[in-house]
Amino acid sequence: MADPLTRQDLVPIPEEKLVFRLPAQFTDPAIERRHRKERLAGALRLFGRFGFEEGVAGHITARDPEFPDHFWVNPFGMSFKHVKVSDLLLVNHDGDVVQGRHRVNRAAFAIHSAVHAARPDVVGAAHSHSVYGKALSATPQRLEPLTQDACAFYEDHGCYEEYSGVANDPEEGRRIAAALGPYKAVILRNHGLLTGAGSVDAAAYWFITMERSAQAQLAAKASGPTLQIPHEEARSTYEQVGFDLAGWFQFQPLFDQISRTDPDLFD
């Protein structure tokens, strides 16, 4: 069908009339809880789609909006690809499941309870044993400003150097939280990546793009000498792409995609 257009139609549309999504604001904690759980289930499905699973390892959490000393997390032993909203567990900071039908991954409790306790600003936190995160963590490297995307982590990620086995000990979790410090991410040496943010959306996106940035860095270094973005440009780029709302916004197309292809996640 023809779609005619005349020069008279070529009038600039005021910016305030153009669509630009922003995070929803809530007054009812029950509605906000449902929203966070939907985002959490969607993030888990995306992690499954991106191949971030390694057996039963990996977890994403969402702080409860009404009971901030509790968090929602994926069930132990369930594939990321299958998680529904109704499957999520509510866990307290003693590691007890208070809502749900499954057991909780003890490492998820040890790490995430410490992160949520140390960082009241962190609503969402994500960790998995993704291939390139593991590979980067097995080298002395941190993430370098080799690409624009990597600049989101420029001077904004820590490193936990003390690998001591599966992180089942709450004390180990507190050390990991200390290594995360004020940053959005931490490399867990010989283990993988962990991200945290003011929303589940941003935490999930930071993990996805950090994993891809690790892949790009390893590929670039395997190809030969690399060229880092200079400090001033890296810092300027960080200020453009590294803030929490930017992470939230970049997650939205991914959530739209998984919502359409996997509508059962809302069950």
Side-chain angles (χ1 to χ4, degrees):
M1 180 181 293
D3 191 8
L5 189 66
T6 68
R7 185 161 294 279
Q8 285 71 32
D9 296 318
L10 305 180
V11 179
I13 300 171
E15 192 168 291
E16 63 271 15
K17 292 187 177 181
L18 299 174
V19 173
F20 186 82
R21 287 189 284 185
L22 291 170
Q25 301 296 314
F26 299 94
T27 57
D28 184 338
I31 295 175
E32 185 171 9
R33 177 179 299 114
R34 175 69 190 192
H35 176 83
R36 290 188 185 183
K37 290 170 69 178
E38 290 178 355
R39 261 32 198 190
L40 177 54
L44 289 160
R45 291 286 183 104
L46 286 164
F47 274 34
R49 178 166 295 183
F50 288 134
F52 294 167
E53 289 186 292
E54 186 74 25
V56 300
H59 17 85
I60 310 176
T61 52
R63 190 190 298 273
D64 188 82
E66 189 173 10
F67 305 102
D69 57 343
H70 290 62
F71 57 85
W72 295 91
V73 65
N74 48 300
F76 187 41
M78 180 177 290
S79 170
F80 289 167
K81 299 182 184 74
H82 298 158
V83 174
K84 302 177 182 180
V85 169
S86 59
D87 294 319
L88 297 172
L89 311 177
L90 183 61
V91 180
N92 65 22
H93 274 265
D94 292 321
D96 303 312
V97 175
V98 299
Q99 292 283 318
R101 305 183 303 276
H102 299 268
R103 294 191 179 191
V104 66
N105 184 327
R106 299 308 300 176
F109 161 69
I111 295 173
H112 288 259
S113 63
V115 168
H116 285 292
R119 290 281 301 277
D121 61 308
V122 166
V123 169
H127 166 66
S128 85
H129 296 181
S130 52
V131 172
Y132 297 101
K134 286 191 295 185
L136 186 70
S137 79
T139 75
Q141 303 173 68
R142 294 199 184 196
L143 205 59
E144 300 175 13
L146 299 181
T147 65
Q148 177 174 297
D149 296 323
C151 288
F153 302 92
Y154 187 62
E155 298 181 331
D156 196 14
H157 68 289
C159 189
Y160 179 63
E161 303 281 3
E162 306 171 33
Y163 180 78
S164 57
V166 178
N168 289 332
D169 183 358
E171 184 55 39
E172 176 86 348
R174 285 188 281 273
R175 291 193 293 267
I176 289 172
L180 174 65
Y183 305 128
K184 66 161 61 76
V186 60
I187 298 170
L188 309 178
R189 196 61 76 205
N190 304 106
H191 189 168
L193 310 176
L194 184 144
T195 58
S199 64
V200 175
D201 310 54
Y205 180 76
W206 293 141
F207 189 98
I208 292 165
T209 195
M210 191 177 192
E211 166 71 5
R212 288 176 166 175
S213 294
Q215 180 180 4
Q217 178 168 316
L218 293 166
K221 286 179 174 287
S223 300
T226 57
L227 298 172
Q228 288 197 12
I229 297 171
H231 169 73
E232 290 300 328
E233 287 75 12
R235 191 67 200 172
S236 174
T237 305
Y238 168 81
E239 291 172 356
Q240 293 174 303
V241 303
F243 57 100
D244 206 69
L245 180 60
W248 176 90
F249 191 77
Q250 298 220 64
F251 182 77
Q252 302 316 301
L254 296 172
F255 186 78
D256 293 344
Q257 176 192 123
I258 204 72
S259 297
R260 291 189 181 191
T261 61
D262 295 33
D264 66 307
L265 73 87
F266 298 106
D267 294 348

